[in-house]
Amino acid sequence: MTTTAPLSPAARAAALDRMAAEELDVLVIGAGVTGAGAALDAVTRGLKVGLVDARDFAAGTSSRSTKLFHGGLRYLEQLNFHLVFEALKERSLVLNRLAPHLAKPVSFLYPLQRPVWDRAYAGLGIGVYDLMGAGRGVPHHLRHLGRRKTLEAFPSANRQTLRGSIEFYEGQVDDARHTMMIARTAALYGAAVANSARVIGFLREADRVAGVRVRDLESGRELEIRAKQTVNATGVWIAELQELVGGRAPFTVRASKGVHLVVPRNRINARSGLITRTEKSLLFIVPWGAHWILGTTDTDWQLDRAHPAASQADIDYILGHANALLADPLTRDDVVGVYAGLRPLLAGESDSTSTLSREHAVASPVRGLTMVAGGKYTTYRVMAADAVDAVVRELPQLVPASCTEDVPLIGAEGYHGLWNARTLLAEQTGLRLGQVEHLLNRYGSLIPELLELISAQPDLAVPLAGAEEYLRVEAVYAASHEGALHLDDLLARRTRISIETWDRGLAAAPEVAALVAPVLGWSEADVSREVEHYRLRVAAERESQHQPDDLSADAARLGAPDVRLAHS
């Protein structure tokens, strides 16, 4: 079944060999959503493309979002209609055409605390928002709800503070899976794709960049990758890469920390999510399977960018704002998981990160090198196309325009038919209907590949101990087909066990490590080292979340070394 372009260990090694052996048209550095999107955009224009990342697909910002494809409701307040309309179009594309297996509509309430004023003010804004997105992938039925209907939709609401609401829809996605699927789709079209490949220098020819030097963090091998054009899509690390080139970057990227909490679904009784304003940002209460995601913060971050830490102050801030809307307050004991990510914001004149631009910029500081930064997850495809447009202008050949509007991600084609046949699939496979639905919404029409693994090894249909929502086959498939190289990749990004289980995945870790050991060629010592590394990561994160401020939280989180650096 090679036509689905599995990101296997062998495929990764072959991709590195290929990048070292031939000159590429475009090399993209950074396999977050923008970089993966740029690789897919370039390869579907017929270019020879490479994609490398120092850590894992979506290891940074792109695995730590609010998990929404949303149109940017608050940009209406800034009268930024272009950005809102662009985001709504992209939301529609993902939900309807590009990734219907991964992205779904989700209902939200915008609570009204001063019914007359709020209903007029917010209702107008959300009404405009709804009309701009009408027929674009989510149910078009904005509804004004009175107090009684609001409490029916959100029984856990504080009856003293919520006097009514407006119901509307957004799109939801597992960001890390979506980003990995973009990279895998790029590989399907012919891109050479490799994670754990750190850029350690740039190749120069006279006054232009001619490629990079890369260290394979798995083997220690160093190689040169020559490319006519190189794209720096490393987000909050963009300045670090620029330092390797030399010279000054044409724009500055600031890191804004966004923290999210995960709590069990039964702690909030509601059929819709909730979005409201705080004095600094927006508060989201987002349904997420058997959980809720609560967030977010928006604070400047100038410490370790690889592993931003959530402090006690961050957690208290989110709980405080959420509890103002809830009848039964949440406590620290209700928090199952915590994650922190860094938004790459284009620096403006204001000191407050929440007012910095969410729009993106593309620039070429040196011949042969293009930088892309800023933007938001929802508009990744537009950012990617703009970056490749800039690259194409410097290439000698005639290159077609971007066509990614019409390139569904791997697993999308045939998804709806399989979803309609899900009861039959359950009968044929012996899996429970809920398990088939779970697999379809994570793998789409790739589900036969997992069923083939189960057929060869029936015990892979058993749920993971300590993380029963996931089947054992998903761990094996993540290593054999989805590019996972370490336990951290498996528990934090290919699955979300690290934020969805009370023990942060510690119980599942030994079983998962044993399952993937044959695929990844791990010895017993490797298995032990991976489990211990993961245990140290969890301990460091827990410790950081009890610290009062960013400085002490960062110091605590740094107590666990990055598994890739320690491995190499």
Side-chain angles (χ1 to χ4, degrees):
M1 303 183 77
T2 54
T3 53
T4 61
L7 298 178
S8 63
R12 175 183 174 277
L16 286 169
D17 287 344
R18 199 174 116 213
M19 286 189 273
E22 61 184 62
E23 185 183 39
L24 303 170
D25 292 315
V26 184
L27 173 70
V28 182
I29 309 168
V33 72
T34 306
L40 178 58
D41 188 283
V43 77
T44 53
R45 298 193 199 197
L47 298 172
K48 277 188 190 175
V49 176
L51 173 67
V52 295
D53 194 283
R55 292 191 293 156
D56 186 26
F57 308 108
T61 305
S62 296
S63 59
R64 305 177 194 189
S65 74
T66 312
K67 320 299 182 205
L68 295 177
F69 270 99
H70 65 101
L73 187 59
R74 67 170 155 169
Y75 308 135
L76 278 181
E77 291 185 7
Q78 302 160 11
L79 302 180
N80 196 336
F81 296 107
H82 165 73
L83 190 60
V84 175
F85 193 79
E86 182 178 82
L88 289 170
K89 176 192 171 186
E90 294 304 312
R91 183 185 74 181
S92 171
L93 277 172
V94 168
L95 287 165
N96 293 325
R97 188 186 308 166
L98 303 185
H101 54 317
L102 303 175
K104 312 291 174 188
V106 60
S107 161
F108 279 98
L109 301 180
Y110 187 93
L112 307 174
Q113 294 166 313
R114 300 163 299 170
V116 177
W117 169 253
D118 282 357
R119 200 174 292 284
Y121 178 72
L124 177 64
I126 296 173
V128 170
Y129 183 75
D130 192 54
L131 285 170
M132 289 173 77
R136 290 182 177 271
V138 301
H140 173 50
H141 83 226
L142 175 146
R143 294 196 306 160
H144 284 258
L145 306 181
R147 190 168 184 268
R148 183 173 65 82
K149 288 289 187 184
T150 296
L151 293 172
E152 284 178 12
F154 209 98
S156 283
N158 182 334
R159 291 162 186 259
Q160 267 62 54
T161 57
L162 257 67
R163 313 289 175 80
S165 65
I166 300 169
E167 183 181 33
F168 65 106
Y169 284 80
E170 292 287 15
Q172 182 174 58
V173 73
D174 182 334
D175 49 8
R177 285 203 68 70
H178 176 254
T179 296
M180 178 275 297
M181 289 288 204
I182 298 171
R184 195 170 161 191
T185 307
L188 175 67
Y189 282 92
V193 173
N195 50 349
S196 273
R198 179 183 290 276
V199 171
I200 56 174
F202 283 83
L203 306 178
R204 303 294 290 259
E205 282 180 2
D207 65 340
R208 63 182 292 273
V209 167
V212 299
R213 285 199 315 281
V214 161
R215 179 177 296 126
D216 176 357
L217 296 184
E218 300 306 308
S219 69
R221 167 192 177 201
E222 292 188 7
L223 56 146
E224 292 190 349
I225 302 174
R226 305 194 73 78
K228 294 171 186 168
Q229 295 288 319
T230 300
V231 176
N232 178 355
T234 56
V236 294
W237 289 274
I238 206 160
E240 289 179 28
L241 267 289
Q242 181 62 31
E243 283 175 19
L244 289 177
V245 180
R248 194 163 172 270
F251 50 76
T252 304
V253 173
R254 279 177 60 184
S256 164
K257 184 174 70 166
V259 173
H260 295 81
L261 311 182
V262 181
V263 301
R265 191 65 179 260
N266 62 13
R267 279 300 284 112
I268 299 173
N269 180 13
R271 64 167 173 78
S272 288
L274 190 146
I275 299 177
T276 189
R277 293 195 61 82
T278 70
E279 70 278 10
K280 295 179 183 176
S281 184
L282 291 177
L283 175 74
F284 296 87
I285 298 178
V286 185
W288 177 257
H291 299 86
W292 295 93
I293 292 174
L294 281 61
T296 178
T297 60
D298 196 351
T299 54
D300 202 35
W301 178 264
Q302 296 178 337
L303 302 167
D304 179 55
R305 297 192 171 199
H307 303 289
S311 68
Q312 177 71 57
D314 294 322
I315 294 168
D316 289 345
Y317 172 86
I318 295 170
L319 288 177
H321 280 285
N323 285 338
L325 300 166
L326 299 174
D328 182 14
L330 300 166
T331 70
R332 273 297 296 256
D333 291 340
D334 293 312
V335 177
V336 176
V338 181
Y339 63 95
L342 299 177
R343 301 179 194 89
L345 304 180
L346 298 178
E349 295 175 2
S350 168
D351 286 336
S352 168
T353 61
S354 63
T355 62
L356 293 177
S357 174
R358 289 295 198 274
E359 294 193 68
H360 64 276
V362 176
S364 297
V366 182
R367 284 182 64 220
L369 177 66
T370 296
M371 301 165 62
V372 56
K376 48 195 243 151
Y377 196 99
T378 304
T379 54
Y380 81 90
R381 198 193 60 79
V382 177
M383 294 173 65
D386 285 352
V388 179
D389 282 345
V391 162
V392 163
R393 286 194 287 271
E394 304 301 318
L395 291 173
Q397 68 265 46
L398 194 63
V399 180
S402 174
C403 66
T404 50
E405 273 194 33
D406 298 308
V407 179
L409 298 190
I410 197 165
E413 297 280 12
Y415 161 74
H416 290 299
L418 284 165
W419 179 257
N420 292 341
R422 63 193 184 279
T423 303
L424 191 60
L425 259 178
E427 289 172 5
Q428 290 171 344
T429 60
L431 295 173
R432 296 199 313 272
L433 179 61
Q435 291 173 327
V436 171
E437 291 177 346
H438 164 85
L439 293 176
L440 283 170
N441 286 331
R442 284 170 51 75
Y443 306 93
S445 56
L446 297 176
I447 192 172
E449 295 185 346
L450 289 96
L451 298 178
E452 195 175 279
L453 290 172
I454 290 172
S455 179
Q457 197 176 334
D459 67 343
L460 292 182
V462 175
L464 288 169
E468 287 76 14
E469 187 181 336
Y470 297 93
L471 303 182
R472 300 176 83 195
V473 69
E474 296 184 77
V476 174
Y477 187 83
S480 64
H481 287 68
E482 296 182 340
L485 298 172
H486 294 280
L487 206 45
D488 201 49
D489 305 344
L490 289 149
L491 297 177
R493 286 175 291 279
R494 302 307 181 279
T495 69
R496 290 317 183 103
I497 292 169
S498 68
I499 58 169
E500 293 174 345
T501 58
W502 287 103
D503 68 350
R504 311 283 173 96
L506 291 177
E511 182 183 7
V512 170
L515 283 166
V516 302
V519 181
L520 297 176
W522 288 353
S523 65
E524 282 186 26
D526 293 328
V527 167
S528 298
R529 187 178 66 249
E530 286 282 335
V531 172
E532 177 61 9
H533 252 287
Y534 188 76
R535 187 191 67 77
L536 289 172
R537 170 207 150 125
V538 170
E541 285 187 347
R542 285 186 187 277
E543 180 65 20
S544 69
Q545 291 154 18
H546 287 281
Q547 301 305 312
D549 53 38
D550 282 354
L551 206 59
S552 52
D554 179 65
R557 179 60 185 86
L558 288 174
D562 189 296
V563 65
R564 283 177 162 79
L565 298 181
H567 176 75
S568 65

